[in-house]
Amino acid sequence: MIRVLAIDDEPLALQQLAAYIRKMSFFELCGECMSALEAREIMEHEVIDAIFCDINMPDLTGMDFVRQLVAPPLIVFTTAYAEYAIDGYRVNAIDYLLKPFGLQEFQRAAIKVRDMYNLQHANRPEDNTTSAIPTQPSSADDTIFIKTDSRTVRISISDIRYVEAMSEYLKLHLDSQPRPLITYLSMKKMEEFLPDHFMRIHRSYIINLDKVQEVNKNRVIMGPDEYLPIGDNYREAFNSFLNGRILTK
């Protein structure tokens, strides 16, 4: 099932959008949000695969909300203003629904989301999650074996910069490779496995504390263009780690 959020500040529009989502057998409606801020709160705690989001909303527009997401899910924008269509595609939206839209138009957009979701998950292994659990490192080194695609590769734990959740998969961002390794594994399993100098700072991120370059407000900077958010549920533990290492008079 594709986990979906509906976001619209107009109650009737939100009610209709939620009803359409429920009609799709491949969708699971995980929340009905009256604002982008409400949606952000849900996404701090739950994995969301796709969002249907109005653009014109108070406090934070749908467009600005999506731009702020570090790892955005699949996006379909809904709005009464056709001029926003080009901006929508600039942030890699899957589709754009012009209000008022009917079930048939919604269904076409939903199928696009489903097809893209299936494409992203096309390499899912047939075996269960436990088969992808990394092999424990030996006392002689800090290397582990990770299943990725049809290969099992050896990596050094110290080479891991951070781990990023991507639905049922994880991206392992390494110092030694320009592109992350993708493996079918849960965030919980990886968090349990990694040693103490790794910390979860967000529902979608585990970082190597030895690789942190800078902390700027509510973001951890791991490298050029790598700005990771600190989730509300993880901020206290991270600040405790940080405060214990800040030099003061």
Side-chain angles (χ1 to χ4, degrees):
M1 297 286 283
I2 302 172
R3 296 172 59 82
V4 180
L5 279 186
I7 311 170
D8 200 306
D9 65 313
E10 298 177 7
L12 291 179
L14 181 60
Q15 184 179 6
Q16 181 192 54
L17 181 59
Y20 285 168
I21 291 172
R22 291 190 181 97
K23 288 180 180 292
M24 302 297 111
S25 62
F26 45 84
F27 279 168
E28 176 186 353
L29 181 61
C30 297
E32 301 174 43
C33 306
M34 295 285 291
S35 71
L37 300 179
E38 186 180 343
R40 179 190 290 166
E41 178 66 21
I42 293 176
M43 294 176 73
E44 285 283 339
H45 306 286
E46 296 188 41
V47 174
I48 300 299
D49 302 310
I51 62 176
F52 286 78
C53 183
D54 187 25
I55 292 179
N56 288 327
M57 294 187 292
D59 298 325
L60 184 64
T61 70
M63 199 75 67
D64 288 339
F65 168 59
V66 170
R67 288 194 182 104
Q68 291 178 11
L69 295 175
V70 177
L74 301 173
I75 308 294
V76 175
F77 283 119
T78 66
T79 186
Y81 301 94
E83 61 266 25
Y84 286 117
I86 294 177
D87 289 337
Y89 290 119
R90 283 174 180 165
V91 294
N92 296 321
I94 297 295
D95 206 350
Y96 177 97
L97 289 169
L98 185 62
K99 297 178 181 179
F101 54 86
L103 178 59
Q104 191 172 30
E105 294 167 287
F106 177 87
Q107 188 173 31
R108 283 197 292 267
I111 289 172
K112 288 183 181 180
V113 171
R114 183 197 64 188
D115 291 347
M116 181 59 71
Y117 178 87
N118 289 340
L119 182 63
Q120 290 178 347
H121 293 72
N123 294 322
R124 174 173 175 165
E126 295 299 324
D127 49 358
N128 59 30
T129 305
T130 57
S131 67
I133 297 175
T135 305
Q136 290 281 354
S138 70
S139 58
D141 57 30
D142 73 341
T143 60
I144 56 175
F145 289 89
I146 292 287
K147 287 188 176 182
T148 177
D149 296 325
S150 58
R151 304 174 297 146
T152 301
V153 298
R154 184 173 187 163
I155 65 172
S156 171
I157 292 177
S158 60
D159 192 30
I160 301 173
R161 195 162 60 257
Y162 64 95
V163 179
E164 177 184 359
M166 186 182 65
S167 188
E168 297 168 302
Y169 290 79
L170 297 181
K171 288 183 178 180
L172 275 64
H173 297 262
L174 309 177
D175 285 338
S176 62
Q177 299 189 31
R179 301 184 65 178
L181 293 180
I182 298 177
T183 185
Y184 181 60
L185 185 66
S186 73
M187 200 69 157
K188 185 174 183 294
K189 290 290 186 182
M190 180 60 79
E191 187 177 13
E192 292 172 351
F193 174 82
L194 290 171
D196 292 341
H197 61 279
F198 284 81
M199 179 180 288
R200 192 165 184 174
I201 62 165
H202 187 273
R203 67 179 182 86
S204 299
Y205 296 101
I206 299 172
I207 64 170
N208 185 339
L209 296 169
D210 295 339
K211 308 284 187 180
V212 174
Q213 295 186 6
E214 184 179 334
V215 180
N216 188 337
K217 296 181 180 179
N218 291 324
R219 299 186 302 177
V220 176
I221 300 174
M222 304 298 294
D225 299 320
E226 292 180 336
Y227 302 88
L228 311 185
I230 303 171
D232 292 339
N233 289 348
Y234 308 94
R235 186 171 292 115
E236 183 177 352
F238 181 74
N239 286 342
S240 177
F241 157 79
L242 192 64
N243 292 335
R245 286 157 179 79
I246 295 177
L247 294 180
T248 59
K249 290 184 179 180

